[in-house]
Amino acid sequence: MTYVVTDNCIACKFTDCVEVCPVDCFYEGKNMLVIHPDECIDCGVCEPECPADAIRPDTDPDMEDWVEFNRKYSEAWPVIITKNDPLPDAESRDGETDKMEKYFSEEPGEGG
């Protein structure tokens, strides 16, 4: 099992999860995070830390595409280990639908 970040993170990018990760497997895009599925040790400490409920176990239904999505972008984006402020509209966009089509960016974040 591994954990993955889903589209609930897009346009929010809460980073509470990165501080508790014991193996630094989070990677930062311009407007979301991903988890490298091969680096995740399945400890689960990140899942309850996410205010947007964007972190899910790969055993949840229909997670196969999210595993590959997280793998792809974790190999392109920089690692992030430090908690930062969420994006400016995070609270108002939390729970919004169709975030992938509306807001997703392939651009890397700053990492750090």
Side-chain angles (χ1 to χ4, degrees), residues 51-67:
D53 194 31
I55 300 172
R56 309 300 316 150
D58 70 344
T59 54
D60 279 3
D62 303 318
M63 287 292 117
E64 297 85 12
D65 289 343
W66 284 111
V67 171

Side-chain angles (χ1 to χ4, degrees), residues 24-84:
D24 302 333
C25 64
F26 281 88
Y27 292 80
E28 183 183 21
K30 181 177 179 179
N31 64 1
M32 78 173 294
L33 304 176
V34 293
I35 295 172
H36 196 301
D38 297 333
E39 295 174 3
C40 176
I41 60 170
D42 314 325
C43 67
V45 297
C46 59
E47 186 179 21
E49 295 298 316
C50 180
D53 194 31
I55 300 172
R56 309 300 316 150
D58 70 344
T59 54
D60 279 3
D62 303 318
M63 287 292 117
E64 297 85 12
D65 289 343
W66 284 111
V67 171
E68 290 313 310
F69 178 91
N70 276 247
R71 182 184 318 283
K72 175 182 177 179
Y73 289 102
S74 65
E75 292 174 357
W77 293 345
V79 69
I80 180 171
I81 60 172
T82 306
K83 181 179 175 181
N84 296 318

